[in-house]
């Protein structure tokens, strides 16, 4: 996959004087079935997460609260996405190197994936990642 397959997806936003509501569904707003949900929180200032790619996993990342940057690399090009609205999410296909940084205080990253956790699907060496491309 290349950066062209990455998508910043605007989610529905139901405006209400009682507060707003957004959502996404498997194979609807996001282009895969959800098999796992995890979240990253309490990230100390200056820390980075990620620093890997997946052989076959796809993910969708939403900044439910606060903001952070997702930096994506397809082995040729790099692109930075700042996520800071809970009604936007970033679709990251398989074989895209990613890391996350610049977490604001109290930020909350929600991530849904199309597969259960499986360490053998990770590529944690950037040189190896580039060779696989
Ligand atoms: P990792 O994916 O390396 O975190 P990040 O990409 O945010 O830097 O995962 C960190 C640790 O958590 C690692 O030991 C594996 C474990 N883990 C699970 O057990 N289940 C999961 O769903 C995830 C994402 C991680």
């Amino acid at each position: 996959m290349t950066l062209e397959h990455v998508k910043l997806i605007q989610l529905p936003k139901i405006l209400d004087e009682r507060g707003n509501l957004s959502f996404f569904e498997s194979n609807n707003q996001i282009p895969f079935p959800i098999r796992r949900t995890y979240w990253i929180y309490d990230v100390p200032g200056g820390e980075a997460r990620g620093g890997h790619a997946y052989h076959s996993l796809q993910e969708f990342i939403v900044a439910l609260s606060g903001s952070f940057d997702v930096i994506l690399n397809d082995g040729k090009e790099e692109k930075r996405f700042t996520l800071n609205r809970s009604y936007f999410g970033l679709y990251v296909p398989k074989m895209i190197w990613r890391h996350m940084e610049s977490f604001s205080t109290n930020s909350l990253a929600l991530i849904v994936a199309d597969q259960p956790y499986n360490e053998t699907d990770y590529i944690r060496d950037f040189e190896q990642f580039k060779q696989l491309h």
Side-chain angles (χ1 to χ4, degrees), residues 1 53-55 73-74 93-97 123 129 132-133:
M1 294 288 158
Y54 303 106
H55 286 287
N73 191 314
D74 63 6
K94 66 180 182 177
M95 287 301 287
I96 299 286
W97 188 269
I123 306 163
F129 167 73
L132 287 169
H133 251 277

Side-chain angles (χ1 to χ4, degrees), residues 2 12 17 30 35 41 46 53 60 90 94-95 99-100 112 114 118-119:
T2 70
E17 56 212 16
I30 60 169
R35 298 281 309 283
Y41 56 100
F60 182 67
L90 189 64
K94 66 180 182 177
M95 287 301 287
H99 81 270
M100 298 156 75
V112 294
D114 70 340
N118 174 10
E119 183 59 36

Side-chain angles (χ1 to χ4, degrees), residues 6 13 18 32-33 38 52 57 60 64-65 74 78 92 109 119 124:
V6 169
K13 187 178 180 190
R18 299 170 300 158
F32 59 80
Y38 65 96
H52 51 67
L57 183 106
F60 182 67
L64 278 191
S65 173
D74 63 6
E78 184 172 283
V92 184
E119 183 59 36
R124 293 191 183 272

Side-chain angles (χ1 to χ4, degrees), residues 39-102:
W39 48 101
I40 296 171
Y41 56 100
D42 289 350
V43 179
E47 286 293 340
R49 301 294 314 218
H52 51 67
Y54 303 106
H55 286 287
S56 65
L57 183 106
Q58 316 173 61
E59 284 191 332
F60 182 67
I61 305 171
V62 183
L64 278 191
S65 173
S67 70
F68 51 85
D69 289 354
V70 184
I71 298 94
L72 300 180
N73 191 314
D74 63 6
K76 288 206 171 74
E77 270 185 283
E78 184 172 283
K79 197 164 174 189
R80 177 181 295 260
F81 294 85
T82 299
L83 298 184
N84 56 12
R85 294 282 180 265
S86 62
Y87 53 91
F88 272 95
L90 189 64
Y91 167 66
V92 184
K94 66 180 182 177
M95 287 301 287
I96 299 286
W97 188 269
R98 70 159 170 86
H99 81 270
M100 298 156 75
E101 63 181 31
S102 306

